[in-house]
Amino acid sequence: MSQLQRIAIAPSQFQQGQILLTKEQQHYLGRVLRLREGDRFIAMDGKGKWWLAQLAGEQAQVLEALLVETELPVSITLMVALPKGNGFDEVVRCCTELGVTCIAPVLSDRTLLDPSPQKLERWRRIAAEAAEQSERSFVPTILEPVAFNTGLSLVIGHLSFVNSQQYICEARGEFPHLKHCLQHKGQMTSDKGQETIVIATGPEGGWTTQEIENAIASGFQPVSLGRRILRAVTAPVVALSLITASCEV
């Protein structure tokens, strides 16, 4: 199956054993990928379902459902202070490849970017493309940017503290390394549901003291990602890499 081309579809396009292709998808399959009538490809709906499909004119015939086990045994929510420029594009792309479940962009006291609604659509498109490329079963959720304190309330409001860990990464200060906090958790799934990890990474210049205090008050543990000062676009990738390394075998 690895040689077959993959395309992302909306769940509503799967109807009665067939996939109704949009004009754009027909063009992509026929003109870009050079598939012909009867050729096979893989369709993924971004919600965990994959199908082996066969091109048949303006639609595709579903041949069989596929079982794909590429997801992590934990659910990871990344709260990331928006970096300047287009740096967040790469954060979305890389963290999707690494297995993030949800990305919550936040505006911190030191955030320099004021994102437009078009940015959110762009980020969601990048996440879909990265999920397709990395053979993810799910496309990560990209939330609308909110103020950091609002983001804390929203994320914590949806967590079960029985089965969750919350960390905020801080470059300066004598905080334990994230890897040491994770490696003592043992089996990172439980009978009470999927383990949830929330990891927050800061902006250029780092979090303010007040933001760290607010996070601690919300149940976050301050952690370090190492002795060096990482760029705002590097820290999320390092944090996700440490988490995946600790829970994936």
Side-chain angles (χ1 to χ4, degrees), residues 30-158:
R31 298 294 180 86
V32 179
L33 299 182
R34 303 293 186 185
L35 298 189
R36 299 179 178 180
E37 187 98 4
D39 284 348
R40 298 179 175 190
F41 64 94
I42 294 172
M44 43 182 283
D45 71 352
K47 303 291 184 182
K49 294 181 179 178
W50 283 40
W51 297 277
L52 176 63
Q54 188 172 39
L55 193 59
E58 296 181 355
Q59 57 192 27
Q61 185 70 36
V62 171
L63 302 178
E64 63 176 296
L66 302 175
L67 177 62
V68 181
E69 297 180 343
T70 55
E71 296 301 315
L72 295 169
V74 297
S75 173
I76 305 172
T77 293
L78 171 67
M79 289 184 66
V80 53
L82 285 169
K84 60 187 177 183
N86 291 323
F88 195 65
D89 292 8
E90 197 61 23
V91 171
V92 171
R93 185 175 292 107
C94 291
C95 291
T96 296
E97 291 179 28
L98 286 165
V100 75
T101 308
C102 175
I103 300 179
V106 294
L107 306 172
S108 72
D109 290 343
R110 292 172 176 156
T111 296
L112 303 174
L113 184 69
D114 184 18
S116 64
Q118 289 75 24
K119 284 278 190 181
L120 181 59
E121 288 307 309
R122 173 179 171 80
W123 297 332
R124 287 173 173 167
R125 187 171 65 251
I126 289 172
E129 292 170 353
E132 184 178 326
Q133 177 273 320
S134 58
E135 300 190 8
R136 291 279 307 271
S137 297
F138 293 89
V139 176
T141 301
I142 313 292
L143 302 179
E144 292 188 19
V146 295
F148 178 59
N149 287 338
T150 303
L152 285 175
S153 300
L154 288 174
V155 170
I156 295 304
H158 288 86

Side-chain angles (χ1 to χ4, degrees), residues 7-9 13 20-33 58:
I7 68 164
I9 66 168
Q13 290 179 252
L20 307 180
L21 299 170
T22 66
K23 292 293 185 183
E24 292 79 8
Q25 288 166 342
Q26 292 172 36
H27 178 270
Y28 179 68
L29 289 169
R31 298 294 180 86
V32 179
L33 299 182
E58 296 181 355

Side-chain angles (χ1 to χ4, degrees), residues 167-171 175-178 181 199 221-225:
Y167 304 103
I168 184 167
C169 301
E170 174 54 33
F175 299 118
H177 198 288
L178 175 61
C181 300
I199 188 87
Q221 176 182 348
V223 293
S224 166
L225 294 178

Side-chain angles (χ1 to χ4, degrees), residues 228-243:
R228 290 151 302 286
I229 303 298
L230 303 177
R231 294 171 62 229
V233 295
T234 307
V237 177
V238 172
L240 262 290
S241 298
L242 287 165
I243 294 171

